[in-house]
Amino acid sequence: MHKTEVDIPPSVRKRLIHLFGLIEKEFESVCQENVILQEKVESLTEKVNEKYLTTEQFQVNSKQKPPTGQKLKTADKLKAQTSKIVSSFKSPSAANCQFVKEYGGHRDGLWDLALPRTGQPVIGTCSADHTARIWCIETGTPLLQYTGHTGSINSIKFHPIKDLALTSSGDQTIHIWQAAVNLDNLRDRESDDTETEDDRVVPILRTPSCTFLGHNGPVMASDWLLGGDQIITASWDRTANLYDVETSELLHSLTGHDEELTYASSHHSQKLVVTASRDTTFRLWDFREAINSVSVFQGHTDTVTCAIFTSAGLGGEDKLVSGSDDRSIKVWELRNMRSPITTIRAESGVNRFAIASNGVIAIPHDNRQVVLYDMTGQRVNRIPRTARNRHRRMVTAVAWSEDNSFANLFSCGFDRLALGWSVQLCKD
């Protein structure tokens, strides 16, 4: 039996567009109200903190004679309790965070962003508008637009050493495409903030270098394995696929998750892969031997949204970090993963986070915030949210840059924007 397409009358279509516009305006209004309420809560929290600090300082600087006997013990106990309360608001390190640049031009929400490991001063973004873009970090100018997918592009990763990009899409395919761009004519030209999307002439690439097939559902994430000769993918069809890049051949289909996969990433120096799923687990796949093995970890109580390996040499031991919609981030020692060594409790659902080489974890949230923690679970800072320079919808992903002095942290969200930040860590 053939399906028949329903031809919607122009008047009805116009009415529907009008109603959807009203819904979007109402949603924006609710979001704005929530932002105002959140700022009020944070202001009250800061006042409470200042009150505790003032109390402690008064006790330390008081010119009254010190009490004796039982009174001394009581005073010491009170001071110790006050100091303990104050210490809970302190962090062993802090960070100065400043807004640097906005990257705007996508026509729908952004799902992911990435930076090349080659040190080239560009960032890549991908969107639900079916396109991926490469931007000049300093000027905010779009350098290349990839339009080869026919569905939402859910992730983007650059090749370890080549000018290639890897994207995965809701059209059930994964593409590799040429990501080489020319920066010579852009270093002295700032992007005009008044320039509209239609005014910008962005080079368009429509054809991939390589296409990978085999999934029966949207592909949510993909990553290059060590050396860049293989890729790993994660799909809503509950499988993760391992492909050979040169031949596009499917090498392994990794099954076992009970629900849709949300993420997949590889180890920086070993053939290890981690996959995350809505079934509340993440799995560690080992391809170092001819017969691969898998381990299942059940540390979360809701969808595991992201799981990544730490940078080489961080803290002397390899670690794996997982994040979840259960509002937690867990740090695991790769040699002994019986239980997490650190658990960070967040205020909202956790999306695709990133870890800097110094161990600072940037965590994007559903509540439009990006919060910084260290590997011990201590809060370092929060990305500032002024009236102009902030995300207005959920922040979907972040990425660190180790080579760029202009901006070293980037965030993207469903407000269609990517933002660049300068984060300077200050040790006490």
Side-chain angles (χ1 to χ4, degrees):
M1 182 176 181
H2 296 287
K3 294 182 180 179
T4 58
E5 295 184 0
V6 178
D7 188 14
I8 301 176
S11 60
V12 176
R13 184 185 299 274
K14 184 176 180 180
R15 178 62 177 166
L16 287 173
I17 292 173
H18 174 69
L19 291 174
F20 281 124
L22 293 177
I23 292 172
E24 184 174 9
K25 288 181 180 179
E26 183 64 24
F27 179 77
E28 292 284 358
S29 176
V30 172
C31 287
Q32 187 64 29
E33 290 177 5
N34 287 340
V35 169
I36 294 172
L37 290 172
Q38 182 67 27
E39 289 174 350
K40 288 181 179 179
V41 170
E42 291 164 359
S43 176
L44 290 172
T45 302
E46 290 174 358
K47 289 181 179 179
V48 171
N49 294 357
E50 290 173 1
K51 180 180 178 181
Y52 281 124
L53 290 170
T54 303
T55 302
E56 183 188 37
Q57 189 168 0
F58 171 78
Q59 290 180 337
V60 172
N61 297 333
S62 175
K63 295 182 180 179
Q64 295 179 356
K65 292 182 179 181
T68 59
Q70 185 63 33
K71 291 183 179 179
L72 178 61
K73 294 180 181 179
T74 304
D76 288 342
K77 186 181 294 185
L78 177 61
K79 182 177 179 180
Q81 291 173 345
T82 305
S83 298
K84 185 176 181 181
I85 294 172
V86 173
S87 67
S88 67
F89 294 100
K90 294 180 179 180
S91 174
S93 60
N96 293 324
C97 307
Q98 293 183 340
F99 169 80
V100 175
K101 201 69 181 178
E102 177 181 298
Y103 309 89
H106 280 289
R107 298 181 181 275
D108 208 336
L110 275 65
W111 284 120
D112 200 8
L113 78 170
L115 288 98
R117 302 179 195 176
T118 57
Q120 194 174 19
V122 299
I123 61 169
T125 58
C126 62
S127 168
D129 66 7
H130 302 187
T131 71
R133 290 192 172 209
I134 296 178
W135 311 77
C136 175
I137 287 178
E138 294 188 12
T139 66
T141 305
L143 306 174
L144 180 66
Q145 180 173 240
Y146 179 68
T147 62
H149 285 290
T150 60
S152 171
I153 304 182
N154 302 317
S155 77
I156 181 170
K157 283 287 194 308
F158 287 100
H159 191 277
I161 56 176
K162 299 177 182 178
D163 290 329
L164 298 173
L166 173 69
T167 49
S168 43
S169 172
D171 63 13
Q172 305 183 11
T173 69
I174 308 95
H175 291 180
I176 292 176
W177 43 277
Q178 291 290 335
V181 293
N182 186 2
L183 291 164
D184 294 339
N185 299 326
L186 295 170
R187 296 191 182 278
D188 298 325
R189 180 168 68 88
E190 284 290 332
S191 178
D192 186 357
D193 292 337
T194 63
E195 190 178 32
T196 66
E197 174 65 15
D198 293 333
D199 295 330
R200 296 176 181 173
V201 179
V202 184
I204 295 177
L205 176 65
R206 295 182 173 86
T207 307
S209 303
C210 189
T211 300
F212 301 89
L213 305 173
H215 282 296
N216 297 316
V219 186
M220 302 309 297
S222 55
D223 196 8
W224 307 88
L225 264 68
L226 176 65
D229 297 328
Q230 297 174 343
I231 63 168
I232 186 71
T233 63
S235 170
W236 275 7
D237 64 10
R238 304 185 182 185
T239 67
N241 285 350
L242 183 70
Y243 293 93
D244 180 86
V245 170
E246 185 176 353
T247 64
S248 302
E249 180 186 357
L250 174 62
L251 302 177
H252 296 283
S253 184
L254 311 178
T255 60
H257 281 291
D258 294 328
E259 295 189 35
E260 295 89 341
L261 272 66
T262 57
Y263 201 72
S265 63
S266 66
H267 193 276
H268 44 81
S269 61
Q270 302 181 66
K271 285 202 170 182
L272 297 173
V273 166
V274 60
T275 55
S277 171
R278 293 182 63 184
D279 63 12
T280 75
T281 73
F282 63 92
R283 293 184 173 227
L284 182 62
W285 309 82
D286 190 343
F287 295 100
R288 292 174 295 185
E289 302 294 339
I291 301 177
N292 63 78
S293 61
V294 59
S295 302
V296 184
F297 300 95
Q298 301 175 329
H300 293 283
T301 59
D302 205 336
T303 297
V304 183
T305 55
C306 184
I308 58 177
F309 299 95
T310 59
S311 300
L314 183 60
E317 295 289 345
D318 284 347
K319 296 178 178 64
L320 192 152
V321 185
S322 58
S324 170
D325 278 338
D326 66 9
R327 302 186 177 186
S328 75
I329 292 272
K330 295 180 183 288
V331 182
W332 309 76
E333 199 80 62
L334 203 54
R335 288 186 178 182
N336 182 7
M337 295 188 59
R338 286 177 295 192
S339 61
I341 59 175
T342 302
T343 297
I344 299 171
R345 299 297 178 186
E347 300 174 357
S348 180
V350 174
N351 295 316
R352 294 180 178 180
F353 56 89
I355 307 171
S357 60
N358 58 12
V360 176
I361 311 172
I363 306 173
H365 289 292
D366 286 345
N367 66 359
R368 304 177 300 284
Q369 297 199 39
V370 178
V371 185
L372 308 181
Y373 285 86
D374 65 22
M375 297 292 285
T376 66
Q378 292 291 332
R379 178 165 162 166
V380 175
N381 205 339
R382 185 193 66 188
I383 296 299
R385 301 174 69 249
T386 63
R388 181 177 180 181
N389 303 322
R390 68 182 178 198
H391 285 292
R392 291 170 174 79
R393 293 191 179 180
M394 70 173 179
V395 188
T396 52
V398 291
W400 288 99
S401 170
E402 303 295 342
D403 305 312
N404 194 277
S405 58
F406 180 77
N408 60 349
L409 178 63
F410 300 87
S411 58
C412 68
F414 235 61
D415 53 6
R416 308 180 184 181
L417 297 175
L419 302 178
W421 308 90
S422 175
V423 179
Q424 303 298 326
L425 199 64
C426 306
K427 296 292 183 179
D428 289 346

